[in-house]
Each structure stands twice: as structure tokens, then as C-alpha cells.
Amino acid sequence: MGAPKIVLFSIFVLFYVFSLVSCTEFEAGGENGWIIPQSSNQSDLFNQWASKNRFKVGDTIRFKYKKDSVLVVSEDEYKKCQTTKPELYSNHDDTVFKLDRPGYFYFISGVSGHCEKGQKMIIKVMEVESQSPPPSSSLAASTPKAKTSHAVRKMTGFIGPGLVAVSILVLTVISLV
């Protein structure tokens, strides 16, 4: 293999290795956060917010609230605004939930009366083409990250360290040939 071919192949491999997978962190409800809607005409506040966004596998939803909670429930529990066995529960002031699969996710407040006043949300996660199996759900409290001026934050990450190692090995073998 000539030097120009090695250079082109190396550029191709490096481009592939450092291809970035993009995910987005959304702040539930936008900049107002996870709050009780102030009036009855805002009872669909969170679903209106969710319908204006496009969610995909790997994105995260950050719930910011004070003296409240967030629960992931079934569709039936969402409609009834009650649950005895939520899929996930958190009552920390800053909760991040990873959207780990396509389909619908149902969120409600666990504080009595809040869901009935509209503190509930349905998120539809879009199907993603040719993606590796997603990790399991994670609902965990975390410390706030750097504040952004918008309620949406883009994050990127490398495809994987194994791919880097394989690419370096391939480049080394080719350069020795």
C-alpha cells in the first residue's frame, strides 16, 4: 500500500473513530422547571412543552423542583394520577432521567394533588436507526451542571474506547505492511 493510500485510509479510520454520537439534555417544562401549573388553562403545560421537542434514545430529561418528586408510571397510572408501584421514583431537587428506549414515558408528580393540577407529562421517544442496545433506565439525583441560557443542552461523546483500540491496531498493522 502506497503512502497516499495509507494517509487516506488513516483519515477514514480516524474520522470513523472520532465520529460523535450526539445526545441532548432537556429541562422538563423548559426554564420554569417541574412546577405545578399556575392556572387551569395551563393544565397541559408539560405535554405542550414535550410536543415542541423531539426526543431520541440517549437523551436525558432533567427535573428541577423544590419539595416535590417525579415518578415514572404506566399509561393507566398516568391517566389516574396515582400509583402504588412506580417504575422509578425520585424526590431529590435535581433528577436526571435517561430515555433508554423508543416509545412513551409517563411522568407524574408524587405529591398529592399536583398531578391533578397538571404536573404530569408524556414523552414520546423516536425510533432510532441502527443503534446498539440501550442501557437500562437510570433515574438518579445528581448535582447541577453548568447553567445554560436555554433549557436544552447538547452533549457529545465518543462511540467507544474499543473502537479506538481496534483502529490503532489496524493502523499499526497497515503501516508495517
Side-chain angles (χ1 to χ4, degrees):
M1 193 181 268
K5 288 183 181 179
I6 290 175
V7 170
L8 285 174
F9 183 75
S10 299
I11 290 171
F12 172 75
V13 170
L14 287 173
F15 177 76
Y16 182 74
V17 168
F18 294 106
S19 293
L20 297 174
V21 175
S22 176
C23 59
T24 304
E25 181 176 283
F26 295 88
E27 194 168 313
E31 293 181 2
N32 293 328
W34 185 240
I35 60 168
I36 306 166
Q38 298 302 310
S39 65
S40 60
N41 65 346
Q42 290 184 318
S43 64
D44 207 28
L45 173 75
F46 291 102
N47 286 334
Q48 289 175 9
W49 171 82
S51 70
K52 294 176 185 172
N53 292 290
R54 187 174 181 113
F55 303 97
K56 63 186 183 313
V57 175
D59 287 348
T60 56
I61 308 296
R62 181 176 293 272
F63 293 86
K64 290 187 177 183
Y65 49 88
K66 301 265 190 248
K67 298 180 182 178
D68 210 319
S69 61
V70 62
L71 291 78
V72 179
V73 298
S74 69
E75 180 180 8
D76 189 48
E77 293 168 325
Y78 171 87
K79 289 176 182 176
K80 293 177 183 176
C81 275
Q82 63 181 357
T83 182
T84 54
K85 296 180 184 177
E87 185 180 322
L88 292 166
Y89 167 84
S90 181
N91 64 351
H92 304 285
D93 293 343
D94 190 10
T95 301
V96 177
F97 180 80
K98 185 171 186 174
L99 302 170
D100 64 349
R101 60 172 172 76
Y104 291 93
F105 289 86
Y106 301 89
F107 301 92
I108 64 172
S109 170
V111 175
S112 181
H114 287 199
C115 179
E116 291 82 0
K117 292 179 182 175
Q119 195 176 3
K120 61 184 185 173
M121 174 173 60
I122 302 171
I123 288 183
K124 180 181 180 185
V125 179
M126 306 305 290
E127 293 280 342
V128 178
E129 294 178 20
S130 66
Q131 179 162 332
S132 60
S136 62
S137 296
S138 60
L139 180 64
S142 62
T143 54
K145 296 180 182 172
K147 178 77 174 160
T148 59
S149 60
H150 302 288
V152 176
R153 183 177 337 168
K154 280 286 201 185
M155 298 174 289
T156 55
F158 293 110
I159 289 176
L163 188 56
V164 173
V166 169
S167 299
I168 291 171
L169 180 62
V170 168
L171 285 175
T172 303
V173 169
I174 290 175
S175 66
L176 294 174
V177 173

